């Protein structure tokens, strides 16, 4: 064990800058924790001459990733450059060179986490990725260590700050989706191309990572069913609110008898659900364990210093393992073979908003269809619309199987009394004012 730990940084953007600052500003505390200084030895950047927000001599900077990956004096690589294929290769090469790796890269971990973990274990190297899900919230360590004695039954996560900001502004300030999105872009929460956030892909990657860990099963990104928020309207939120619900983009994962389901979708949460109070760009993950019951992890899901906090904490864990000589031992192979629930094993309540012809027998047509598919109504709201002879109906169902729900949606469009199916969402809880 050396008396100094050398770190190589791949990337010096917003998060990389935060990592350098945190290592510099908290050096005394780090030395106390790990028993030796932690130094940045080399940093991969795109442009050496660019002015930066941290004090770092240009002697440390390089534009060649292999100056970092192949440096024999570097003990730990911190990857904050993003990207998938090239980055995957740098990480594999670093692990094969017996270096430990800390990464914030959710795209990479969601796609190649199992493979990279295997390469790490073969080399007695650590691969930690706390910052890849929910930035500053220690949810990975919460699942891997804090709740390791329990059996996780269910998780619900607000794991995308951009969409939470948009939905909060639509809900609280009455903004349209388009205005809320452009405000999020002006404030730097949303990317110029917001597709992966608003269509749920970013959250799906994070949920694949969480579900793999929580259920000890090789859940992959393709196993996550995904829908985003780009079609959510102010009217949906208004009717949801009348029924005691708040809309959030929820990553949902549960398991029964080692059969799992994972999804990301806009969901009406009962106002008394703890996640309903998580607003603006904040993230939170609600975890239900068989023994512990309800827990919730809350905090910033992105940002330079919050994300750097998770990365540097991973670094501390790596160095503690180096001191004990136990690197690469913490990654466990999945305990269970992956088994996913089929659509007749997935149950939820649903919110359906439709326009019907306001005429005798309209409602009985609807109830007949729902009854044929064994779905019963929990709440119903009917309001006249400005258009003559048309009514707006909002239904919240009791729990129904996904199979029955999808059949009803399909056949409802063909009922002569139904003018249009305006929207439909998963609902969670009873609705509370
Ligand atoms: N685009 C992400 C979000 C950033 O909005 O939450 C953090 O992964």
């Amino acid at each position: 064990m050396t008396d100094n730990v050398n770190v190589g940084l791949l990337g010096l953007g917003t998060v990389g800058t935060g990592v350098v600052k945190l290592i510099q500003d908290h050096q005394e505390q780090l030395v106390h924790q790990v028993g030796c200084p932690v130094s940045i030895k080399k940093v991969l950047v795109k442009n050496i001459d660019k002015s930066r927000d941290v004090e770092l001599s240009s002697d440390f900077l390089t534009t060649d990733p292999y100056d970092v990956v192949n440096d024999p004096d570097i003990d730990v690589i911190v990857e904050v450059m993003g990207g998938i294929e090239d980055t995957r290769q740098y990480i594999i090469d670093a692990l094969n060179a017996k270096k430990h790796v800390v990464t914030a890269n959710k795209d990479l971990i969601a796609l190649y986490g199992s493979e990279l973990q295997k390469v790490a274990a073969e080399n007695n190297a650590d691969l930690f990725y706390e910052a890849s899900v929910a930035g500053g919230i220690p949810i990975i360590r919460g699942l891997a260590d804090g709740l390791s004695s329990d059996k996780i039954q269910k998780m619900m996560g607000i794991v995308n700050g951009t969409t939470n900001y948009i939905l909060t502004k639509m809900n609280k300030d009455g903004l349209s989706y388009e205005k809320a999105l452009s405000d999020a872009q002006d404030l730097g929460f949303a990317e110029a191309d917001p597709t992966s956030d608003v269509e749920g892909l970013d959250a799906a990657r994070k949920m694949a990572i969480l579900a793999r860990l929580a259920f000890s099963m090789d859940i992959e990104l393709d196993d996550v069913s995904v829908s985003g928020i780009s079609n959510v309207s102010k009217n949906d939120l208004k009717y949801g609110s009348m029924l005691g619900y708040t809309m959030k983009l929820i990553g949902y994962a549960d398991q029964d008898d080692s059969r799992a389901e994972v999804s990301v979708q806009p969901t009406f949460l009962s106002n008394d659900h703890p996640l309903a109070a998580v607003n603006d760009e904040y993230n939170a993950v609600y975890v239900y364990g068989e023994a512990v019951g309800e827990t919730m992890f809350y905090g910033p899901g992105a940002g330079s210093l919050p994300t750097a906090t998770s990365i540097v904490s991973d670094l501390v864990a790596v160095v503690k393992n180096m001191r004990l000589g136990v690197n690469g031992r913490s990654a466990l192979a999945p305990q269970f073979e992956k088994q996913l629930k089929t659509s007749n094993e997935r149950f939820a309540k649903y919110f359906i908003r439709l326009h019907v012809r306001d005429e005798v027998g309209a409602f009985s047509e609807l109830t007949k269809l729902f009854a044929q598919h064994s779905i019963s109504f929990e709440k119903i709201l009917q309001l006249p619309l400005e258009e003559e002879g048309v009514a707006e109906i909002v239904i919240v169902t009791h729990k129904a199987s996904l199979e029955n729900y999808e059949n009803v949606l399909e056949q409802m469009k063909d009922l002569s009394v139904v003018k249009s199916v305006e929207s439909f969402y998963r609902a969670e809880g009873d609705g509370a004012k």
Side-chain angles (χ1 to χ4, degrees), residues 106 131-132 134-135 159-163 189-191 196-197 202 206 281 283 301-303:
K106 66 203 156 212
S132 67
V159 288
N160 182 270
T162 304
T163 46
F189 296 136
E191 313 268 341
S196 108
D197 287 322
D202 175 81
K206 292 165 180 168
E281 72 278 20
N283 282 198

Side-chain angles (χ1 to χ4, degrees), residues 39-53:
S39 319
I40 307 276
K41 172 91 192 319
K42 211 161 269 176
V43 183
L44 173 72
V45 292
K46 282 195 194 122
N47 174 3
I48 293 195
D49 300 324
K50 188 178 155 185
S51 77
R52 296 172 206 283
D53 203 14

Side-chain angles (χ1 to χ4, degrees), residues 58-59 69 75 91 96 125-126 131 159 178 196 231 241 243 257 270 305 336 356 390 394 400 404-405 414 428-429:
S58 60
D59 298 347
V69 170
D75 306 289
I91 289 183
N96 282 330
D126 283 330
V159 288
E178 289 75 17
S196 108
N231 292 323
S241 165
L243 293 167
D257 301 326
S270 188
L305 287 174
F336 303 104
V356 299
V390 182
V394 181
N404 287 344
Y405 165 68
D414 299 333
E428 186 76 28

Side-chain angles (χ1 to χ4, degrees), residues 280-296:
D280 300 316
E281 72 278 20
Y282 277 89
N283 282 198
V285 184
Y286 167 98
V287 182
Y288 192 94
E290 185 183 275
V292 73
E294 289 186 315
T295 62
M296 197 161 97

Side-chain angles (χ1 to χ4, degrees), residues 373 415 419:
H373 295 278
L415 290 183
K419 198 156 173 286

Side-chain angles (χ1 to χ4, degrees), residues 78-110:
V78 170
E79 185 274 301
V80 282
M81 62 187 286
I84 299 183
E85 295 305 332
D86 288 350
T87 313
R88 167 177 165 264
Q89 197 54 55
Y90 304 150
I91 289 183
I92 288 175
D93 292 342
L95 292 168
N96 282 330
K98 316 284 179 206
K99 295 184 195 312
H100 312 292
V101 173
V102 172
T103 176
N105 192 329
K106 66 203 156 212
D107 306 7
L108 186 71
I109 294 294

Side-chain angles (χ1 to χ4, degrees), residues 128-397:
F128 290 153
Y129 50 90
E130 180 64 76
S132 67
V133 179
I137 306 177
I139 182 62
I140 302 285
R141 201 153 277 118
L143 293 171
D145 293 333
L147 295 173
S148 59
S149 59
D150 205 355
K151 193 169 164 65
I152 306 304
Q153 295 180 326
K154 170 170 157 176
M155 288 187 298
M156 289 168 60
I158 296 175
V159 288
N160 182 270
T162 304
T163 46
N164 203 33
Y165 178 86
I166 293 171
L167 290 173
T168 302
K169 293 298 162 198
M170 288 175 73
N171 203 27
K172 289 199 181 292
D173 300 343
L175 301 191
S176 66
Y177 168 79
E178 289 75 17
K179 171 76 177 118
L181 170 59
S182 87
D183 285 2
Q185 284 169 322
D186 291 344
L187 287 165
F189 296 136
E191 313 268 341
D193 176 0
T195 314
S196 108
D197 287 322
V198 299
E199 298 305 344
L201 182 60
D202 175 81
R205 288 172 172 147
K206 292 165 180 168
M207 288 310 295
I209 296 171
L210 292 183
R212 189 184 296 157
L213 196 60
F215 302 155
S216 196
M217 221 181 261
D218 208 358
I219 304 280
E220 294 169 280
L221 184 57
D222 283 349
D223 300 324
V224 185
S225 48
V226 189
S227 60
I229 65 161
S230 56
N231 292 323
V232 173
S233 71
K234 283 204 284 181
N235 266 344
D236 292 329
L237 301 194
K238 182 177 87 183
Y239 290 114
S241 165
M242 285 176 176
L243 293 167
Y245 289 98
T246 304
M247 165 86 62
K248 298 286 177 191
L249 182 69
I250 294 294
Y252 181 91
D254 78 12
Q255 64 159 342
D256 295 306
D257 301 326
S258 298
R259 291 176 72 74
E261 69 170 282
V262 190
S263 64
V264 167
Q265 58 198 304
T267 301
F268 273 119
L269 291 180
S270 188
N271 286 340
D272 57 3
H273 193 286
L275 286 172
V278 175
N279 286 318
D280 300 316
E281 72 278 20
Y282 277 89
N283 282 198
V285 184
Y286 167 98
V287 182
Y288 192 94
E290 185 183 275
V292 73
E294 289 186 315
T295 62
M296 197 161 97
F297 299 74
Y298 170 87
S304 176
L305 287 174
T307 309
T309 307
S310 288
I311 291 170
V312 179
S313 296
D314 275 351
L315 195 53
V316 168
V318 168
V319 183
K320 285 180 176 172
N321 283 350
M322 286 166 74
R323 292 232 162 251
L324 294 169
V326 294
N327 297 101
R329 308 254 184 95
S330 56
L332 297 174
Q335 184 183 356
F336 303 104
E337 198 185 324
K338 179 171 74 182
Q339 291 188 74
L340 298 174
K341 290 186 188 178
T342 54
S343 65
N344 59 7
E345 295 172 304
R346 297 170 67 155
F347 288 86
K349 293 182 178 185
Y350 295 99
F351 168 108
I352 303 166
R353 182 164 72 85
L354 59 162
H355 290 173
V356 299
R357 297 183 205 291
D358 201 355
E359 61 192 32
V360 175
F363 216 84
S364 91
E365 286 284 294
L366 275 178
T367 48
K368 209 160 69 189
L369 176 67
F370 278 72
Q372 273 165 6
H373 295 278
S374 313
I375 301 182
S376 83
F377 299 149
E378 183 179 288
K379 291 183 178 184
I380 297 164
L381 191 66
Q382 176 169 341
L383 295 163
L385 281 173
E386 268 177 26
E387 189 182 341
E388 185 75 8
V390 182
E392 176 124 47
I393 290 185
V394 181
I395 294 164
V396 179
T397 71

